[in-house]
């Protein structure tokens, strides 16, 4: 199946629903930020702005990498970029493989730069492309959207479950290390919903990448999405894998702890982030920004642009309130505030030496 059709199918499956993690929503329920009845600041003085990789965002939020590659997704990208532009937050485009292989599709991605000339845009390619593209092709992805950074996604579970997947990851780390030396934008390495472990984080840091998006388990499950496609295509072996691995992965809060326990690289937290309080919890754990993918997309597709905007505006307000109630003027102060980790998250944090 052509890449562009596959991407459209992914969007439709996510819109229909039922492909999210059920057993975990990221483990943020085990993180308690401590209420301070004497915040000693005024709500209006809370500063939500942050600096991410040298770029000022109005709040530590990204719309995570999702789409591009056909007319329908061009419209989605236009809307997502307009949202990011209006709110002063960052945005990633989906895998640009479709447009690298068929340049006539480039406008379905570059539309984001047209409507949002000044936002932080993250380009996107997969580990699989890294193995076969030369550096000039990779630079085309950056130029296509005038990207401020390039994300390389690691998706071994998705590739293994996808009927036409390519679960080939040998040599990816070396390619990543080479890429950081030959490209002049920061490289962000991200998962797509199964999380980044501390072992991977150490290797990524040694490879010289600039930031990590943990994209942990808690929201969109790529095993479930590919399982749904496998079922439709009657590829029952793939469907079986999805049934067993639909809940596989490192919960998002855990992945932040894993990565933060071994590196000081900037961290984006995605994977089941539903509101601004969870972004605040992610930052208190050590992340530098939160990102939302499936939840924003569903709001946009089901209820339209204004509702999607309301959802993000509310999320930023919730983040601001969490700062106020913990007595934090900004994200730096929030990171230093006392927090309590409960249950399995506390146990995990102890085992990796985070606590
Ligand atoms: C429809 C859809 C398409 C996606 N496509 C990509 C992609 O092309 N590249 C990528 O790195 N991640 C992709 N992702 C993964 C997201 O960027 C994100 O890491 C993941 O969905 C976890 O966030 P969520 O739980 O908020 O959805 C996609 C997610 C969705 C929902």
């Amino acid at each position: 199946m052509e890449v562009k059709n596959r991407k459209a199918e992914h969007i439709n499956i996510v819109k229909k629903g039922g492909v999210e993690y059920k057993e975990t929503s990221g483990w943020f329920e085990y993180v308690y930020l401590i209420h301070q009845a004497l915040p000693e600041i005024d709500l209006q003085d809370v500063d939500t702005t942050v600096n991410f990789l040298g770029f000022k965002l109005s709040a530590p939020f990204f719309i995570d990498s999702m789409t591009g590659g056909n007319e329908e997704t061009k419209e989605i990208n236009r809307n997502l970029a307009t949202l990011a532009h209006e709110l002063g937050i960052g945005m990633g485009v989906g895998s640009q493989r479709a447009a690298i292989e068929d340049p006539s599709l480039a406008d379905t991605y570059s539309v984001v730069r047209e409507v949002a000339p000044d936002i932080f845009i993250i380009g996107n390619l997969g580990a699989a492309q890294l193995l076969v593209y030369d550096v000039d092709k990779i630079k085309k992805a950056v130029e296509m959207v005038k990207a401020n950074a390039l994300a390389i996604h690691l998706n071994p579970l998705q590739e293994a479950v996808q009927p036409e997947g390519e679960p080939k990851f040998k040599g990816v780390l070396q390619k990543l290390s080479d890429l950081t030396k030959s490209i002049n934008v920061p490289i962000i390495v991200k998962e797509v919903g199964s999380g980044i472990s501390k072992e991977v984080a150490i290797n990524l840091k040694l490879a010289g990448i600039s930031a990590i998006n943990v994209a942990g388990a808690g929201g969109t499950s790529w095993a479930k999405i590919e399982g749904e496609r496998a079922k439709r295509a009657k590829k029952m072996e793939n469907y079986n894998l999805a049934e067993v691995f639909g809940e596989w992965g490192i919960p998002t809060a855990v992945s932040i702890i894993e990565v933060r326990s071994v590196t000081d690289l900037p961290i984006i937290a995605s994977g089941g982030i539903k509101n601004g309080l969870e972004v605040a919890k992610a930052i208190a754990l050590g992340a530098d920004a939160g990102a939302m993918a499936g939840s924003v997309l569903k709001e946009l597709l089901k209820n339209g642009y204004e509702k999607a905007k309301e959802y993000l505006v509310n999320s930023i307000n919730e983040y601001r309130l969490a700062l106020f109630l913990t007595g934090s003027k900004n994200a730096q102060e929030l990171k230093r505030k006392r927090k309590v980790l409960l249950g399995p998250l506390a146990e995990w944090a102890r085992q990796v030496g985070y606590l």
Side-chain angles (χ1 to χ4, degrees):
M1 172 181 277
E2 273 193 89
V3 181
K4 61 178 184 180
N5 295 338
R6 192 157 70 221
K7 294 299 281 181
E9 218 183 322
H10 288 153
I11 298 277
N12 291 331
I13 291 172
V14 169
K15 182 179 174 187
K16 203 170 136 239
V19 288
E20 296 81 25
Y21 284 82
K22 275 206 197 82
E23 290 169 15
T24 169
S25 61
W27 283 22
F28 288 107
E29 66 273 30
Y30 299 122
V31 184
Y32 270 76
L33 304 182
I34 315 293
H35 176 70
Q36 300 297 347
L38 273 175
E40 285 298 323
I41 46 169
D42 297 345
L43 179 58
Q44 66 174 25
D45 293 335
V46 167
D47 179 10
T48 61
T49 63
V50 289
N51 204 296
F52 188 82
L53 291 175
F55 196 98
K56 190 171 176 185
L57 301 172
S58 75
F61 285 69
F62 282 88
I63 299 171
D64 217 356
S65 316
M66 279 189 280
T67 199
N70 63 24
E71 274 312 306
E72 185 197 353
T73 56
K74 179 177 179 182
E75 217 31 52
I76 295 173
N77 266 342
R78 184 197 307 279
N79 279 315
L80 295 177
T82 308
L83 278 173
H85 174 72
E86 284 199 70
L87 302 177
I89 61 176
M91 162 183 181
V93 294
S95 171
Q96 293 168 265
R97 174 182 174 187
I100 299 290
E101 288 171 15
D102 176 358
S104 73
L105 301 173
D107 64 322
T108 66
Y109 299 89
S110 59
V111 63
V112 299
R113 199 39 109 190
E114 280 162 37
V115 299
D118 305 320
I119 66 165
F120 190 98
I121 292 180
I122 305 174
N124 191 286
L125 286 173
Q129 285 78 62
L130 203 59
L131 291 174
V132 292
Y133 287 178
D134 59 25
V135 72
D136 287 338
K137 272 195 174 163
I138 295 173
K139 283 182 178 163
K140 281 204 179 99
V142 173
E143 286 155 18
M144 195 185 300
V145 294
K146 298 195 179 66
N148 301 84
L150 177 67
I152 302 293
H153 64 261
L154 308 177
N155 59 342
L157 173 59
Q158 181 189 9
E159 295 289 348
V161 175
Q162 186 176 91
E164 56 284 79
E166 296 168 8
K168 294 183 183 154
F169 282 76
K170 193 169 178 179
V172 171
L173 185 60
Q174 184 59 49
K175 288 281 184 185
L176 273 171
S177 168
D178 297 345
L179 183 63
T180 59
K181 296 177 190 89
S182 53
I183 203 153
N184 61 359
V185 291
I187 300 296
I188 301 174
V189 174
K190 73 187 287 293
E191 238 287 346
V192 298
S194 299
I196 300 283
S197 65
K198 68 174 187 175
E199 291 79 5
V200 170
I202 290 170
N203 280 329
L204 292 175
K205 166 121 178 144
L206 292 174
I209 66 126
S210 299
I212 292 176
N213 178 342
V214 298
T220 308
S221 164
W222 279 94
K224 292 187 188 185
I225 294 177
E226 296 299 350
E228 178 60 30
R229 290 187 60 244
K231 192 163 75 179
R232 293 176 184 181
K234 301 205 171 19
K235 303 269 189 194
M236 295 324 275
E237 269 182 35
N238 298 72
Y239 178 65
N240 171 62
L241 290 175
E243 285 282 282
V244 175
F245 285 85
E247 296 285 330
W248 173 269
I250 309 170
T252 303
V254 176
S255 189
I256 298 167
I257 284 176
E258 289 259 329
V259 175
R260 187 49 82 225
S261 67
V262 291
T263 83
D264 51 7
L265 287 174
I267 295 175
I268 299 176
S270 77
I273 300 246
K274 294 179 296 297
N275 56 46
L277 176 54
E278 288 183 346
V279 172
K281 288 182 176 184
I283 288 178
L285 287 178
D288 297 281
M292 296 155 146
S295 56
V296 175
L297 182 70
K298 270 186 266 181
E299 200 61 44
L300 177 68
L301 296 181
K302 290 186 173 170
N303 303 319
Y305 181 86
E306 286 307 323
K307 284 288 173 194
K309 183 173 167 187
E310 196 178 300
Y311 176 52
L312 283 170
V313 167
N314 287 344
S315 296
I316 294 171
N317 280 336
E318 291 149 13
Y319 170 71
R320 180 182 292 109
L321 183 55
L323 288 183
F324 174 63
L325 293 177
T326 52
S328 315
K329 260 202 223 72
N330 51 37
Q332 283 73 27
E333 287 195 14
L334 176 63
K335 281 173 196 265
R336 290 195 295 271
K337 293 288 162 169
R338 185 167 66 90
K339 58 198 166 281
V340 174
L341 308 189
L342 298 177
L345 184 62
E347 180 55 30
W348 196 312
R350 260 189 294 278
Q351 288 191 26
V352 295
Y354 171 91
L355 278 185

